[in-house]
Each structure stands twice: as structure tokens, then as C-alpha cells.
Amino acid sequence: MDRKLSPQTEKDIFALDIGTRNVVGMLIHYENETCKVEEYVSIPHDQRSMADGQIEDIALTAKTVMAVKSALEEKCGMSFSRVAIAAAGRALLTRQASAVRKLDSGKPIAEDMVRALELEAVTTAQEELVGTDTENEEKSSRTYYCVGHTVVRYLLDDYPIQTLVGHRGSEMKAELIAAFLPSIVVESLYSVVDMCGLTAHSMTLEPIAAMNVMIPKELRLINIALADIGAGTADIAISQKGSIAAYAMATVAGDEITEDIVQQYLVDFGTAERMKLSAGDEKINYTDILGFEHCISGDELIESIDGSVSTLARTIAENIRESNGGSPAAVFLVGGGSLIPGLSEKIAGELEIPPERVAVGGKNLRCKIEIDGGNSISPEFVTPVGIGITAAMHTGYDFSVVTLNSARFRIFDTKRISCAEMLMQAGFKANQIIGRSGRGLSFTVNGERRNIHGETGIPSQITVNGERVALDYVIKPGDNIMFTPAVSGKNAVMTVAELNGGTVNASGHIIIDGEEYPFGAVTEVNGKEVSGDYRLQNFDEVTVTNVGTVGRMCSLIGADALYLNGRAVDMSMRFTDGQVFTTSHSSDTENEPLWDGDDNAPRHSTSNKAREYIREQERARQASFPDVEPQEDPTKEPYCTVDSLNVQADMSNITEPMQNRLKEMTDKLKQSSILETVQSETADTDEFSVPTEIILNGKPLTLPARDDRTAHTFLELMALADIDMDAAPPSGNMILTINGKNASFMDELHSGNEIVIRWAEK
């Protein structure tokens, strides 16, 4: 007659280790920060339903798990409803990533700023993991679950710091390790648990579980490697500088030794497993697949598998060295495979460390655990004990099912998952979760600093069960979440016309002593007059001069008076377009109006001289480049054609030394593989099959598409920036930026880029 089973309590932990060869169930009672192993059951799979730690046949695996559950319930007199499980380390994918953000030095760093910084780094890691296939971005972002991240360090203005919150500075940075699991691993484990009528309340990774038993936090300052050698895989974890620094996985383990025995002794897999476990016995009896009985010594078996053991040791050591960046100070071996005779000595030899620095774990544990009145366990039970300890410490993970934007979504949490973390797991980007304000604009006007703020972004909106919540709201299983992504603000943009209250630059021109002068609002940027559609750039130095009266003009040109038709005019008189003045009261024909408003009439002024100068430059350009089609009207807007690094444009304003330096740099680039690399990396892209539209020093510029569809480079603009080499400041410093960031000569140009090329302040 079946006895009545008592229900499972909160202090009773059912730990389940679903291995490739066996399933181990263990009851651990947790109280007063001490774990006591009450009972355990280990049952092998009837068939090979798992391969290399991955469930392949869910129904067969669930059958073995159900047998373990029933047997343990019978031994303990307890009915289990909740279970703690673990995933094999072979499925874990980790990526290191970092994120940097500029700060307003006057404001302290808030928690949400740090959270946004970390989310940005995690997003970078996930993009690296899933690739950049934008067509399948949503699908690929769901392929892997982010199971958490660990911050390696924070930096404030390049100085390492323990925490960023509350500090002030100009730049903060976060470096972290993000961990991901393929969805198939998680879903298969949960399917098995569901089929057995259990609820998974804690999930961890097998190498982390073993670490929590063998290498507690106080020992993680030491550089120690732990290898959990099972049947299908050898999971590796590395500790150093107080934390778990890396994970790895060797694709060989105990099954390789078993398969070697199968081949050498012509036995089935089960017989080979029993022979392997009996390697320490004096005599081993077995029957081969032909029905013949044999008897060999344990030493003979060990000698016969020496080659495969050496291969296993070499593979584990190579993975340890690769993950650790060299040999560690010590190694712990756990799992059933750690008991293979001679394995620890061979691993020590491969790592070139003393044999006593490689130990088989399970003895004299430092964590608070009781097993049969002591604190020692067999190596093959280290992982299930670790699963229970991890659940007891509430450091394991768990999945919760929620509804996100009307679709069911399973989240992998840590008992306390915020809305922001859940959205990141769902594949939303950092700028969708926490919107950004547009980039600001900073320049000077008549020596006074002006700062134009970018457009404020529209924050995301989150409701849980119909109520508005913040990003740090803790999600609960079953929550109905609606999320509207944030919209980032536009970058600050201002033209000269907008700066001058909507008016264009000059409202007209007058003639004084035969020279043309503009009047109205005259704007110069970095020493050069610009038009009203010029778009201001960061670091621009703007000078605005309002010239509307005779008195203001006289003060600017140093004249005592102006004369119109030989008569002095009042200082308060305002100008009219086309007026002709002299600075003396003489009246000769040269001072007669030279322009009557007819564009076809000769205009002997600075503008007319400029037109003639452009014609001369066009004739010179045709002489230098006879294969280039001439402009229909060279007095129209100047143009350039760019072909690779051969800049075909007016270079008369660039001094000979500058031309020589550009030519020398071009020749060196052609002789190297840099140009070929840039062209090959950008070839055959749709972006560069059309003209590239940019802003150079505030003016629109179109660079025609090349036949080979490669990108234009920053160097090509040096001949188009109208740099006055004679006006260089004493420092010789030049501002070279793309979108406000420092540029190099080989940077690619993309449509929409805003480029500044000019001398720095004198």
C-alpha cells in the first residue's frame, strides 16, 4: 500500500542534474545558511536520448527524469512540485562588450544612466552574436536568450571606479561579459520538466553550479580553473580577480574513453561503460559482441586507453589555456570523468604545472554543506549539489511567462527582473528602451559661446496590467505588458539665416570708390563670408556684422564721410541696393553708377572680377585635365569630380607645400594595400552606387558615384575645403571632424555626413 507523501516545503530543494549518461536527483534541506544532502538517486538513460549534454529525445529524457523523481519521493516520503535544474555549459555563449557615453560634467550620474550604459553594451554583445542581418533582425534576436551580464569594471574619465552612481565627469564606460543561451536548450529542459508535472523555480549553468561548491567567492581571487568532466562534455570555468572571468567547453569527455573501449574490445556501449568504471579493479570480466568471454586486468585496460586519455587531457588543457590566457595557478576536476585513472596527472603535464596543483574535487568542501555527517562528496555529485546550493542562495535563474504586446514571451530572470532587462531580452535596442536627446550644437557668435540643445527624445511608454510603470518595475509571472518604443530626438541644426532672425546674409551691395561692399546682416564663419543657407557646425566661430547706415559703414572702412554725386550724405542715411559713393567730394566718371540693375550689362566690381577669375580657373582646369568634359557655364556654382584619390578640382588656393604633401600621401596610399582594402570592403554596396550627399564646412556638396561603387574618403576633401595655408595659426593645429568626431584621412564618407576642415583657433 502506497504511503502518503508529505508536500515539499520552501526549505526542501529538489535538485536535478540531467546528464548525457545519467540523471541524478537529490533532496537538499536548506536552513540557517547550511545545506544538508538528505537523499539522492542516480538512474542511467535506457537509450541515448541525449548527446553532448543536449536533450535530443524529450519524451525518453522525461521518462528517466520521472523515474528519478518517483524513486526519490519514495525514499524521502515527500512529493515534489518544484525543481532546480541546470543547462550544460556547451550551450553557453559569452561575449565581451563595452559602451561609452559622454556626460554633462555638472550633473551627477544617476542609476538609470548606468542602466542605459550597461544595456547599450549588452545590445552590442547581442548584435555581435546574432550578426547584422537586418531583414531577420527580429527573428535572430530571439534565437538566443540573454541570461545575464557581469560588469568587469566601470571607468570614469578613463579611471577605474567601483560604482558610477553619484559621481561627476566627462565620460563614463562600462566593460562587461554578457551570457547567452540558445532557445532550444532552454525550451527542451522546460519541456521535460513540464512533462513530469514539475515547476522549475531555479535554473543555473552546470559550470556555475560546480563553482559554487568548489570555489566560493573568497577563493576567486586566485586564478583557478574548474573542469566538470561528464559523459558528453567537459565544462570549464575560470576564476580570477574575485569573479568568474570566463567559460569554455571541451567537446570531448568520458564517452570518448568508452568508445575507445568499444572499438578495442568489441563490446557494446553499456559493457564498455562498466569496464571503464571497473578500471581500478584487479580483474575485469566481460563478454564481447561475438559471445566470447574474456578476463583482463585493470592495469591492462588502463594501458590500452592511455592514448584516448592523453587526447582528453590535451583538449581540456588547451581550452583552459585559451580561456585563461595561459596556465592557471591550480585546477579542480569534478564530474564522473574526473575519476578516469591518470587523467589529472596528464592535465598537469599539459599545463606544465606541478601534479599536486591538479586535484579531483569533492573533499573538504569550504561551503556550508553536510553530507552523511561530513562535508565530502564523490566528484560525480558535485554538480547536483551545486544546483541545490545555487537555488538555496537565490542566485539561480528562472523563466517566467509574460505577455508582451499581446504575444506570449518567456523571460529568463534572476528572481528580480526589471522591465528594462525584460525588454532587452526581447530584442529591443537600448535607444528604443531609453531614448536619446539629439546631438547638441556649440559655436561662438561675436566671441560669445552659444549652445543649441538637440531635440528632446520621446520616452518609451510601458504599462503592466494597464498601469503605467517605470523601467525599474519588477516583472511578475503572468504580467500583461504593453510597450511603445522611445523615439530619439533630432540633432540640433541652425543655418545662418535662422541665426539672423530669418533674414539672409546681405540685403544688397553698394559701390565705394569703385569697390563693392555688402550691407545688411553680414555673417562670416571662421573668417569667411557665408550665405544664409550655411549650416553651422560645432566649433564654428561666427561673426555677425549689421551694416545698414552710412555711419556704420564709415566706422568699418575708416572713412570720415561718404559722398553721393559729390555731396556728403547724412550718417543716419540707410543704403539702397546699387548706390555709388566716394570717400571724397570729387565727382569723376569712375564714380558714376556702374550697375543699373541689368544683369546683362557689364559690372566692373568685385563680383565681376570673381566671375572672370572662375573662368580663368576653368580654362586652367581643362588644360590640366583635357579628358574631363568642360562646364557649360563656369560662372555657375563651382563643382568637382572625384575619382579615387585623384582630386579633379580647383586647387589654386592650396599652396605648393600643401599640394606636395597631399601628392606624397596619395602616392604612398596607392603603393600600399590600404586603398585596395578600403575599396574591396566597400565594393558592391548599394550605398555607394549613388552620389554621396554631404555637408562640407556648412555647405552642401555632392560627390558623384564611382564606377566601382566604392566609398569616397576624407582625404579627398582636403583639396575642396578652401584652406588658406598662409593663415595657419602658430600651433599649426587643424580641426578635422565627421559629425563632430575626430576624423582620419582614410575614413569613409557616407550621405548625411557633416564634415569640418579648417584651422583651429589662432
Side-chain angles (χ1 to χ4, degrees):
M1 181 176 180
D2 294 336
R3 59 172 175 167
K4 186 175 181 180
L5 303 178
S6 61
Q8 182 181 5
T9 69
E10 289 293 329
K11 296 179 181 180
D12 297 316
I13 300 169
F14 174 28
L16 189 65
D17 181 12
I18 305 175
T20 302
R21 191 65 50 234
N22 300 284
V23 176
V24 177
M26 186 174 289
L27 175 62
I28 298 176
H29 185 78
Y30 179 75
E31 193 168 4
N32 298 326
E33 299 184 356
T34 299
C35 292
K36 182 180 180 182
V37 177
E38 300 285 356
E39 293 286 353
Y40 72 88
V41 171
S42 178
I43 298 178
H45 294 284
D46 288 339
Q47 303 177 42
R48 302 188 71 175
S49 57
M50 295 186 64
D52 295 339
Q54 171 61 45
I55 297 173
E56 294 197 346
D57 191 317
I58 291 176
L60 283 177
T61 304
K63 179 182 177 183
T64 307
V65 170
M66 195 64 189
V68 169
K69 172 179 177 287
S70 300
L72 190 60
E73 286 177 333
E74 184 65 26
K75 290 182 71 173
C76 300
M78 183 180 296
S79 176
F80 300 127
S81 58
R82 296 175 295 107
V83 66
I85 55 177
R90 70 177 293 267
L92 183 69
L93 299 175
T94 61
R95 290 292 183 275
Q96 292 187 348
S98 63
V100 179
R101 281 200 174 187
K102 297 292 184 182
L103 298 170
D104 184 343
S105 58
K107 296 181 180 179
I109 301 172
E111 286 189 14
D112 61 342
M113 296 168 64
V114 178
R115 182 179 295 276
L117 181 71
E118 294 178 13
L119 285 175
E120 187 174 337
V122 170
T123 299
T124 300
Q126 188 169 30
E127 288 174 348
E128 178 186 342
L129 184 67
V130 302
T132 56
D133 185 357
T134 55
E135 293 183 359
N136 297 316
E137 182 175 351
E138 181 178 356
K139 180 180 178 181
S140 61
S141 65
R142 301 291 180 92
T143 302
Y144 295 93
Y145 289 101
C146 178
V147 298
H149 65 273
T150 301
V151 175
V152 177
R153 64 172 182 168
Y154 295 115
L155 292 98
L156 183 61
D157 296 338
D158 294 328
Y159 181 81
I161 194 166
Q162 185 175 1
T163 180
L164 291 168
V165 176
H167 290 279
R168 291 176 170 84
S170 59
E171 182 181 273
M172 64 176 178
K173 181 178 182 180
E175 298 175 353
L176 54 80
I177 299 176
F180 303 88
L181 278 175
S183 59
I184 186 174
V185 175
V186 173
E187 296 298 342
S188 62
L189 282 170
Y190 271 75
S191 295
V192 168
V193 168
D194 291 342
M195 290 182 71
C196 296
L198 294 166
T199 300
H201 70 97
S202 175
M203 181 176 183
T204 188
L205 302 162
E206 290 181 1
I208 292 179
M211 269 282 195
N212 286 337
V213 176
M214 299 304 306
I215 310 175
K217 289 185 177 181
E218 60 268 21
L219 293 183
R220 293 177 187 175
L221 290 171
I222 305 172
N223 185 198
I224 303 174
L226 180 141
D228 183 359
I229 308 170
T233 62
D235 298 323
I236 297 167
I238 305 291
S239 73
Q240 57 181 233
K241 298 180 180 179
S243 65
I244 300 175
Y247 301 96
M249 184 274 298
T251 55
V252 295
D255 277 357
E256 272 64 32
I257 310 299
T258 306
E259 289 169 1
D260 188 16
I261 296 173
V262 168
Q263 296 295 328
Q264 291 196 57
Y265 295 97
L266 298 180
V267 293
D268 58 51
F269 197 88
T271 301
E273 273 287 294
R274 288 192 293 273
M275 293 174 66
K276 182 178 69 174
L277 296 175
S278 304
D281 297 347
E282 183 177 349
K283 297 291 183 181
I284 302 174
N285 297 305
Y286 70 94
T287 302
D288 63 25
I289 59 173
L290 301 175
F292 295 106
E293 295 182 355
H294 302 273
C295 179
I296 61 173
S297 67
D299 292 340
E300 184 180 348
L301 178 65
I302 292 172
E303 183 178 355
S304 67
I305 61 175
D306 183 76
S308 56
V309 174
S310 297
T311 300
L312 176 59
R314 187 180 309 112
T315 305
I316 292 173
E318 287 174 354
N319 279 270
I320 289 174
R321 271 197 302 266
E322 182 179 352
S323 303
N324 191 57
S327 296
V331 178
F332 278 116
L333 304 180
V334 298
S338 66
L339 299 174
I340 297 173
L343 180 61
S344 62
E345 292 82 359
K346 289 181 180 294
I347 290 176
E350 293 288 343
L351 293 173
E352 298 181 348
I353 60 177
E356 60 269 20
R357 292 290 184 92
V358 180
V360 177
K363 298 180 180 179
N364 299 318
L365 303 177
R366 292 180 178 271
C367 55
K368 294 182 179 180
I369 186 167
E370 294 181 6
I371 305 169
D372 295 330
N375 67 338
S376 297
I377 56 175
S378 179
E380 63 264 36
F381 295 121
V382 167
T383 297
V385 170
I387 294 172
I389 289 177
T390 303
M393 296 189 306
H394 301 290
T395 56
Y397 296 83
D398 188 17
F399 273 106
S400 301
V401 177
V402 298
T403 302
L404 175 60
N405 291 347
S406 302
R408 287 175 61 82
F409 182 67
R410 195 189 294 271
I411 54 175
F412 194 53
D413 63 38
T414 57
K415 304 301 180 187
R416 185 178 175 83
I417 183 171
S418 66
C419 279
E421 292 166 329
M422 179 273 300
L423 293 169
M424 180 269 297
Q425 291 181 20
F428 288 100
K429 309 299 182 186
N431 60 351
Q432 294 176 293
I433 300 173
I434 303 177
R436 294 181 176 178
S437 295
R439 188 171 61 245
L441 186 62
S442 179
F443 53 91
T444 60
V445 179
N446 295 338
E448 179 183 348
R449 176 64 61 184
R450 296 278 186 92
N451 294 303
I452 309 298
H453 296 292
E455 184 179 85
T456 302
I458 301 175
S460 59
Q461 294 187 9
I462 309 171
T463 63
V464 177
N465 305 325
E467 299 290 333
R468 286 286 299 272
V469 298
L471 285 172
D472 58 356
Y473 177 86
V474 178
I475 298 295
K476 298 184 296 296
D479 277 345
N480 185 2
I481 304 154
M482 297 299 295
F483 173 68
T484 303
V487 178
S488 295
K490 296 180 180 179
N491 296 335
V493 176
M494 177 168 283
T495 65
V496 164
E498 292 168 334
L499 180 67
N500 292 332
T503 63
V504 295
N505 234 19
S507 56
H509 291 79
I510 60 173
I511 307 297
I512 302 176
D513 292 339
E515 295 292 331
E516 184 180 72
Y517 292 87
F519 69 89
V522 179
T523 304
E524 292 184 342
V525 177
N526 307 319
K528 295 182 180 180
E529 185 178 345
V530 296
S531 61
D533 61 356
Y534 173 87
R535 293 174 65 178
L536 294 170
Q537 307 292 305
N538 279 312
F539 315 115
D540 273 350
E541 299 170 10
V542 183
T543 302
V544 180
T545 306
N546 290 304
V547 183
T549 64
V550 171
R552 179 61 175 155
M553 181 65 75
C554 286
S555 66
L556 289 175
I557 66 175
D560 294 328
L562 292 184
Y563 295 84
L564 181 62
N565 298 324
R567 300 181 61 181
V569 296
D570 189 271
M571 290 293 179
S572 62
M573 172 184 158
R574 305 192 70 82
F575 296 116
T576 302
D577 191 30
Q579 288 179 312
V580 180
F581 297 88
T582 64
T583 55
S584 64
H585 61 277
S586 62
S587 178
D588 51 36
T589 57
E590 290 183 1
N591 293 326
E592 290 300 317
L594 301 178
W595 180 40
D596 59 5
D598 184 0
D599 285 335
N600 296 319
R603 185 178 182 189
H604 305 292
S605 66
T606 303
S607 292
N608 200 34
K609 293 176 183 177
R611 289 169 179 261
E612 181 59 32
Y613 174 76
I614 292 173
R615 293 189 181 97
E616 291 176 0
Q617 297 306 315
E618 174 62 16
R619 288 192 289 272
R621 185 187 66 79
Q622 293 180 36
S624 300
F625 306 98
D627 295 334
V628 180
E629 291 294 329
Q631 288 181 275
E632 294 180 2
D633 183 0
T635 64
K636 292 182 179 180
E637 289 294 323
Y639 85 108
C640 69
T641 61
V642 184
D643 181 14
S644 186
L645 293 176
N646 297 320
V647 180
Q648 302 172 2
D650 175 19
M651 298 180 65
S652 60
N653 288 334
I654 298 181
T655 61
E656 186 175 350
M658 183 62 175
Q659 294 185 44
N660 291 338
R661 280 185 291 188
L662 286 174
K663 184 178 184 303
E664 179 183 356
M665 186 179 302
T666 302
D667 292 341
K668 288 182 178 179
L669 287 171
K670 288 180 177 179
Q671 295 168 7
S672 69
S673 62
I674 296 176
L675 182 59
E676 295 177 2
T677 301
V678 172
Q679 290 179 343
S680 65
E681 287 179 352
T682 59
D684 300 326
T685 59
D686 293 337
E687 178 184 358
F688 303 120
S689 63
V690 297
T692 302
E693 307 282 347
I694 64 171
I695 302 295
L696 175 60
N697 291 336
K699 296 180 180 179
L701 178 64
T702 299
L703 303 176
R706 293 196 178 110
D707 293 338
D708 59 1
R709 305 197 328 191
T710 58
H712 293 291
T713 59
F714 189 89
L715 176 62
E716 301 169 18
L717 301 181
M718 297 299 295
L720 309 178
D722 195 18
I723 304 169
D724 187 356
M725 299 302 294
D726 296 328
S731 65
N733 293 331
M734 183 177 288
I735 293 176
L736 305 172
T737 64
I738 298 179
N739 300 328
K741 297 182 178 180
N742 291 336
S744 64
F745 286 129
M746 291 311 299
D747 283 348
E748 292 182 0
L749 301 181
H750 302 268
S751 289
N753 283 165
E754 298 182 8
I755 292 98
V756 174
I757 302 177
R758 67 175 179 83
W759 293 115
E761 295 182 7
K762 297 182 179 180

